[in-house]
Every structure is written in structure tokens, then in C-alpha cells.
Amino acid sequence: MTDALTRKSPGRTEPGAGPARPGFWLGLLRVKELSILLVTIAAAIYFSLTSGPGFATSDNYHTIAQYVAPWAIVGAGEVLVLICGQIDLSAGFVFTLSPFVLMLFYNNGFPLFLALIGSVVVSALIGMVNGLIHTIFGLSAFITTLGMAFLLWGLSLIISGGSPVSAPTGNWVSSTFGGWGWSEFLWALVVVAVVQTVLSTTRFGIATQATGGNPVGAAESGIRTGRVKVICFAITGGLAGFAGILQGTRVGSYDPTNGGFNTMFYAVAAAVIGGTALLGGSGTVIGAFLGALLLGLVYDGFNLTGISANAFYMVLGCAILIAALLNVYVSVIRKRLGRQ
């Protein structure tokens, strides 16, 4: 009788004995965006205290948003490709070419909205071509998209004649898609929310993560990994083209020197800093957005404090290396706590 009363029931702990398992810490570690969120908040506080009164103003917040929006939109697509274990080096040049494709449609009699849709479709088709070359011919995504990047670079210069072109203005399409000062950033939020939802809650999102995490196992389980990769490349191309139109419309002109490798590398950096694994299998679009926000805060803060732009590149390089190492370290901790 006494033994029955004193026997410990499953799941109970003695007073002061602490939790039976590290559920709280494991829960925190499972939040992939936690570390980048804390670093972003810390950066915002630091620059608000050290950059003078010019940092915490609506005009400066608008400036930061202009930095962040294109990196976040292109980064959302790069996250999908990176999760598949690939990379798209041509996204920045799809970003450059897309506005000029829009102008080709528009100058040939298409309504502006249909011209915009057509340009985004062409951008997605470019991404699809990247995916098909990679999957059908077995050529590495690095080489495929690098060649496509230079092809699109030359095509942009030929179509534009090497000179900027004025963006259409004075209608609801231009106001909605970049003309209004905050529309580019709002579209970035919409894109991030939609792509993260697709990645987290749909069968396609699960298939994407399986394709990068265990390609052989995913194929054996019935997932058409080649199709998944092609779709991810197509989405990346479409988002890059859309981002190029938004930014050019906001500025008021489409410039053939805009975008390119700079935009692509910032987008990839945002994704990696935000917690996306370069080797594939895991990633977060929200993390990429926070990574882009962190880069925007640092870039803007350095400008306000008079620090050389060269120092920003040093910080960016260190951030990528540290983020990649932390991703590996945190993954090991998650596995250990999960086994416990």
C-alpha cells in the first residue's frame, strides 16, 4: 500500500527537481528565426543610440525599407532554390532585364498591367529554363545560372541600348507596383508571407525540403524531385523580375546597370544569415527577410555614422561565415536535445 502511494507516476517530478526534459530550450531552438531576430533588434537599438537623431525618423525608415525590399523579394526565391541544395546566380540579371521586357510589351500596345504580367511570366520562364537545363542535362546549377547571368546581362544592354528608360507614370498600375513610396516594401511583406506559408503548410513545401534534405529518399518516396527544382527556379525568376519592376518604378527609371550580381549576392546573403542551409534541406523565408532587414540596418547605420562602405563588406563577410557556423552548431544541438 505504501509502495503504491509513494510510487512516482509517469511525467511527474519531485519539487525542486527541475523539468523532466529540456522542453523550453528545445522549443526555443526550434524557432529558426530567433537568433537573427535578436541580432536584428540589437542592431536597431545600437544604431539608434550611436547614429544620432537622423536614424529614428520616418524618412530614414523609408530609406531602410528601400534597401530591404528587393533583397527580401529575391531572397524569398533564393531560399526555395537553396533548400533544394542549388543556387541561382542569374536572379539579379532577371531583376535587371524584367523592366525592359515590360517596356517592350508596353510600347507594342499592351496595357501596362498586362505588360507587367507578361514580364513576370517571361522572368519565370527564364527561371524554368535554368531548372530544365539543370535537371535534364545534369549540369550544375552554379554553371547553368552563371552562364544565364551573363547572357541576360548582355541582353539587357542590347535591349536598353545601355541607357536608362523612364518608367510609366500617372496610372494606378505604376502607383500600386512601386510608384507609391512604401508599396515596394509592402509587396515584399506580401511575398514573404505567401512564400513562407507555401513552404511551411503545403505538400509542395514539404516536397521542397525533402528534395534538398534527402534527394534519394524523396525520389524513392514518389516525390518528383526534378519537377520540384524546376518550379523553385521558376518562382525565383518570377520574383526577381517582379522585384526589378517594383524598384525601377519607384525610382522612376529602368536602369540596365541596376541589379546584377550585387542584388543576387545580397539576397543570398540575407537567406544564409537568416538561417537557410547552403547544403539544402532547411530554410526560412521569414529568416531571409530578417537577414535583409539586418543588412539594411547595418548599411544605413554605417552611412549615417560615416563609416566607410568597405567596412560594411567586411561585416557582411563575417556575418555570412558566423551564420553558417551557427546553423551547423544549432542543428547539432537540436538533434541532441531531440534524442534526449
Side-chain angles (χ1 to χ4, degrees):
M1 181 70 174
T2 304
D3 292 340
L5 290 174
T6 57
R7 187 181 298 122
K8 294 180 182 179
S9 61
R12 294 184 59 184
T13 58
E14 294 296 327
R21 55 186 177 181
F24 174 74
W25 297 110
L26 182 59
L28 282 180
L29 286 171
R30 283 176 176 167
V31 180
K32 297 178 181 179
E33 300 86 0
L34 178 63
S35 58
I36 184 63
L37 176 62
L38 295 177
V39 173
T40 302
I41 293 173
I45 294 173
Y46 172 78
F47 286 115
S48 65
L49 295 176
T50 61
S51 301
F55 184 85
T57 63
S58 58
D59 287 341
N60 191 56
Y61 292 151
H62 185 220
T63 300
I64 295 173
Q66 292 173 358
Y67 293 140
V68 171
W71 301 342
I73 295 174
V74 180
E78 290 286 1
V79 166
L80 296 178
V81 176
L82 288 170
I83 289 176
C84 289
Q86 311 302 321
I87 192 170
D88 188 349
L89 301 179
S90 67
F93 293 97
V94 177
F95 181 99
T96 305
L97 177 65
S98 178
F100 296 104
V101 175
L102 179 149
M103 292 305 297
L104 285 177
F105 283 122
Y106 184 62
N107 291 334
N108 282 279
F110 283 77
L112 183 57
F113 182 71
L114 292 181
L116 186 150
I117 297 297
S119 179
V120 173
V121 170
V122 170
S123 300
L125 289 175
I126 293 172
M128 186 177 71
V129 170
N130 283 331
L132 290 173
I133 293 174
H134 166 64
T135 56
I136 294 175
F137 298 100
L139 191 62
S140 74
F142 185 93
I143 298 300
T144 299
T145 57
L146 180 63
M148 182 64 75
F150 285 107
L151 188 155
L152 297 177
W153 191 0
L155 188 59
S156 298
L157 293 172
I158 291 172
I159 294 176
S160 65
S163 301
V165 176
S166 297
T169 57
N171 52 68
W172 70 269
V173 177
S174 59
S175 298
T176 304
F177 296 96
W180 179 56
W182 286 93
S183 61
E184 186 180 12
F185 185 73
L186 292 178
W187 276 111
L189 294 177
V190 171
V191 167
V192 168
V194 170
V195 179
Q196 181 64 60
T197 300
V198 169
L199 185 61
S200 303
T201 64
T202 66
R203 294 180 62 183
F204 174 75
I206 296 172
T208 300
Q209 297 179 62
T211 297
N214 187 356
V216 175
E220 291 178 349
S221 65
I223 296 175
R224 304 182 68 173
T225 56
R227 176 181 292 183
V228 170
K229 291 180 181 180
V230 170
I231 293 174
C232 288
F233 274 106
I235 293 173
T236 303
L239 291 178
F242 183 56
I245 293 171
L246 289 174
Q247 188 177 67
T249 304
R250 176 183 60 79
V251 174
S253 66
Y254 302 140
D255 192 337
T257 63
N258 194 21
F261 286 121
N262 277 344
T263 297
M264 182 276 298
F265 281 125
Y266 283 133
V268 173
V272 174
I273 293 172
T276 299
L278 281 172
L279 297 179
S282 66
T284 162
V285 181
I286 295 176
F289 173 79
L290 293 173
L293 182 58
L294 176 62
L295 292 179
L297 287 169
V298 174
Y299 191 83
D300 180 74
F302 278 18
N303 286 336
L304 290 178
T305 53
I307 300 176
S308 169
N310 297 331
F312 171 75
Y313 296 117
M314 292 178 60
V315 172
L316 178 58
C318 292
I320 292 173
L321 292 174
I322 293 172
L325 291 173
L326 283 177
N327 287 340
V328 174
Y329 182 68
V330 171
S331 296
V332 172
I333 294 178
R334 286 195 190 108
K335 291 179 181 178
R336 289 178 179 175
L337 292 178
R339 286 195 295 268
Q340 293 176 6

